[in-house]
């Protein structure tokens, strides 16, 4: 056999190789392939690369004490004995424009859910240059690595980092805890009315629904050792100039977002840039975007069949963040998280690809249940916060609003519980302890603390600890004033039973506006004292 040679060069003859040299080549090639295969198995490069670009792997490795047996054993976590029960709204948009997350609705159309507004789709917004900040977000769902590749717990010294980037103190000012203080009556009243804000969800429009008293709107919170200024809309927009704030969570997150928008509406009417994926309100003067994304549990959920759990029942992967919003995390400068009350709903708990528990679902009594709904809340809190504080592309401020207390007295929401007739806050020494609220708060704080120990990025983590503060505000809920129907029942019947009512969400205007005073003060302390965050 001959090969053509360049012009002017002699012909080159290819001589046959010896049999031994060919055999040696085959052995070397086989050895190389075996070593390469072992290397790829040991180091899954593809998963590592995807984990870098999307920030988190599919699963979060939790601290060793996942199955924490320290929960208060005298508290019955059953739905039947929880005042919260299933008094939850479906994911909806505002009273004027509504959108339902279909994936959430599939698992939350139980007959015991509160009635909601009509679920209209929010119309698509026209393209606009001001939309570029959000329009540049990824449009495809996150491609998550397979379950064999997980983030390993970072063995780093976080003592100095946690003190500056993650905080339980709730206050950046020395000696002042925003959440120790008292409620006082302010005759000046609220910053807006139900008539000056057009986006209040009807079920929280207490005055529009005929509630006869108004003093619940006038009480303000005063920390013991510092001031909590009234909400200053112009100050907020200036501090947040060019930034995006996102509310992520349940209907209580929607309650707080609408409160913030009503406060800001008094100085500037925002442009509605909402679409099928999320609420978006844009303030043109300062390029501030307010976003809301629905997430019932903040972790991955599915209704597909899994092991012995049939199709149709909601399954929660407690160690997997909700990928419905994780793809957008790098775009947000401030995130406010809200969750907890949906853990009273029927669901199956999955951890490490194993069914470990359930709420209102456990068909095989011979199997031990390792995780109840309170444990699941703690694990989910640790999961989502761990994903944020280790995300390589997130440098924002995360505010965890603690568990919002309800005030169903004398029973649960569907067994005669009531908050009718409460017209002012409880006074000192009058706070009625709620076992379920207390243990949910305790478990949330535990999940928060565990996530703090994993912090590896430059983001900030703060706890907005409103649970005890708002335990005094049994007067701030809609009660039976949930609709403008003039024929609605608002008083107890001849048998003494109270009418259906909402003692979980908050009237607007009302106590919920204080949450956004806490948010503004937290942002002020972070941004004014930190030039890196202000840039």
């Amino acid at each position: 056999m001959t090969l053509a040679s360049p012009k002017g060069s002699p012909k080159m003859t290819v001589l046959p190789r010896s049999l031994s040299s060919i055999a040696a080549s085959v052995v070397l090639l086989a050895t190389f392939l075996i070593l390469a295969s072992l290397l790829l198995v040991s180091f899954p490069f593809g998963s590592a690369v995807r984990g870098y670009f999307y920030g988190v792997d599919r699963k979060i490795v939790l601290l060793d004490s996942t199955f924490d047996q320290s929960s208060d054993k005298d508290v019955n976590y059953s739905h039947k004995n929880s005042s919260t029960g299933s008094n939850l709204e479906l994911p909806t948009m505002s009273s004027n424009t509504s959108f339902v997350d279909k994936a959430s609705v599939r698992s939350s159309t139980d007959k015991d859910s509160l009635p909601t507004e009509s679920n209209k789709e929010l119309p698509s917004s026209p393209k606009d240059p001001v939309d570029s900040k959000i329009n540049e977000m990824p449009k495809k769902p996150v491609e998550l690595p397979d379950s064999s590749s997980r983030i390993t717990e970072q063995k780093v010294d976080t003592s100095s980092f946690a003190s500056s980037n993650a905080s339980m103190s709730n206050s950046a000012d020395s000696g002042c805890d925003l959440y120790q203080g008292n409620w006082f009556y302010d005759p000046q009243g609220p910053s807006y009315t139900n008539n000056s804000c057009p986006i209040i969800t009807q079920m929280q429009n207490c005055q529009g629904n005929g509630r006869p008293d108004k003093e619940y709107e006038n009480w303000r919170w005063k920390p013991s050792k510092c001031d909590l200024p009234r909400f200053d809309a112009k100050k907020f927009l200036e501090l947040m100039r060019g930034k995006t704030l996102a509310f992520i969570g349940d209907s209580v997150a929607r309650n707080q977002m609408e409160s913030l928008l009503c406060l800001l509406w008094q100085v500037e009417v925002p442009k509605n840039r909402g679409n099928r994926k999320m609420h978006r309100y844009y303030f043109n003067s300062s390029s501030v975007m307010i976003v809301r994304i629905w997430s019932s549990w903040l972790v991955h959920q599915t209704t597909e069949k899994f092991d012995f759990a049939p199709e149709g029942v909601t399954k929660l992967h407690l160690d997997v963040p909700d990928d419905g919003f994780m793809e957008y995390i790098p775009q947000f400068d401030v995130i406010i998280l809200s969750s907890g009350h949906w853990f009273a709903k029927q669901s199956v708990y999955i951890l490490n690809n194993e069914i470990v528990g359930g709420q209102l679902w456990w068909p095989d009594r011979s199997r031990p249940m390792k995780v109840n709904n309170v444990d699941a809340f703690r694990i989910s809190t640790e999961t989502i916060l761990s994903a944020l504080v280790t995300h390589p592309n997130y440098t924002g401020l995360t505010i965890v609003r603690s568990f919002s207390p309800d005030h169903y007295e004398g029973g649960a929401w569907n067994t005669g519980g009531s908050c009718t007739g409460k017209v002012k806050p409880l006074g000192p020494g009058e706070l009625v302890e709620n076992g379920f609220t207390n243990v949910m708060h305790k478990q949330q704080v535990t999940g928060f603390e565990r996530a703090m120990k994993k912090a590896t990025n430059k983001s900030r983590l703060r706890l907005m600890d409103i649970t005890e503060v708002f335990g005094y505000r049994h007067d701030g809920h809609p009660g039976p004033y949930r609709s403008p129907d003039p024929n609605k029942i608002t008083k107890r019947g001849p048998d003494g039973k109270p009418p259906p009512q909402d003692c979980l969400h908050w009237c607007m205007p009302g106590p919920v506006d204080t949450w956004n005073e806490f948010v503004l003060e937290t942002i002020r302390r972070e941004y004014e004292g930190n030039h890196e965050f202000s840039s």
Side-chain angles (χ1 to χ4, degrees), residues 15-22 25:
L15 300 176
R17 295 183 180 181
S18 66
L19 184 61
S20 60
S21 64
I22 294 174
S25 298

Side-chain angles (χ1 to χ4, degrees), residues 185-410:
Y185 187 83
D186 181 2
Q188 183 176 342
S191 300
Y192 66 95
T193 70
N194 63 303
N195 292 320
S196 68
C197 183
I199 62 161
I200 300 175
T201 294
Q202 191 62 50
M203 293 181 71
Q204 278 81 65
N205 186 355
C206 298
Q207 291 300 305
N209 293 337
R211 180 168 172 171
D213 62 302
K214 288 194 67 172
E215 288 195 355
Y216 66 89
E217 297 179 345
N218 291 51
W219 292 87
R220 295 191 58 242
W221 179 253
K222 172 67 172 69
S224 299
K225 297 182 179 180
C226 60
D227 290 326
L228 180 64
R230 289 179 68 91
F231 188 90
D232 185 335
K234 292 181 180 179
K235 177 77 169 178
F236 178 91
L237 292 174
E238 185 57 37
L239 283 171
M240 288 293 296
R241 179 174 293 277
K243 295 180 172 63
T244 297
L245 181 149
F247 291 92
I248 302 176
D250 51 23
S251 59
V252 184
R254 187 218 63 234
N255 204 169
Q256 185 179 359
M257 181 207 69
E258 290 182 358
S259 164
L260 177 60
L261 288 174
C262 285
L263 291 164
L264 297 175
W265 210 283
Q266 308 313 302
V267 299
E268 182 181 349
V269 176
K271 295 182 179 179
N272 186 341
R273 299 298 179 194
N275 56 30
R276 293 179 59 86
K277 188 72 175 178
M278 66 180 78
H279 279 202
R280 295 182 297 168
Y281 289 89
Y282 182 80
F283 291 84
N284 189 65
S285 66
S286 55
S287 301
V288 170
M289 186 79 79
I290 305 297
V291 171
R292 184 175 78 89
I293 302 177
W294 176 270
S295 179
S296 309
W297 288 277
L298 301 181
V299 292
H300 179 66
Q301 61 173 296
T302 179
T303 56
E304 297 176 359
K305 184 181 185 303
F306 186 95
D307 198 3
F308 60 94
E311 182 180 2
V313 181
T314 300
K315 291 96 182 165
L316 304 181
H317 291 261
L318 297 176
D319 50 357
V320 182
D322 185 347
D323 54 12
F325 63 81
M326 285 304 298
E327 62 180 309
Y328 302 121
I329 292 302
Q331 307 292 332
F332 300 145
D333 300 286
V334 178
I335 295 174
I336 300 175
L337 296 176
S338 169
S339 67
H341 290 283
W342 278 72
F343 283 90
K345 299 279 286 183
Q346 184 187 61
S347 49
V348 179
Y349 304 139
I350 299 171
L351 198 59
N352 296 324
N353 284 320
E354 174 191 357
I355 296 177
V356 293
Q359 169 68 359
L360 302 179
W361 184 91
W362 195 250
D364 189 350
R365 299 294 178 178
S366 66
R367 296 174 182 262
M369 189 165 70
K370 302 175 183 178
V371 173
N372 61 25
N373 62 331
V374 173
D375 297 326
F377 181 42
R378 182 194 71 248
I379 297 168
S380 71
T381 299
E382 182 183 349
T383 292
I384 185 58
L385 294 183
S386 297
L388 294 178
V389 299
T390 60
H391 197 303
N393 300 319
Y394 176 58
T395 58
L397 167 66
T398 302
I399 299 174
V400 181
R401 198 215 65 242
S402 67
F403 189 76
S404 179
D406 63 62
H407 291 92
Y408 291 97
E409 297 181 9

Side-chain angles (χ1 to χ4, degrees), residues 466-485:
I466 59 91
T467 304
E468 182 176 354
V469 175
F470 277 75
Y472 291 90
R473 294 310 307 270
H474 62 172
D475 59 320
H477 304 289
Y481 299 97
R482 303 182 303 163
S483 81
D485 179 5

Side-chain angles (χ1 to χ4, degrees), residues 165-167 385 389 397-398 400 448 451-452 459-463:
N165 282 32
S167 173
L385 294 183
V389 299
L397 167 66
T398 302
V400 181
F448 181 98
M452 281 171 56
S459 70
R460 301 245 170 158
L461 183 60
R462 298 289 181 261
L463 179 68

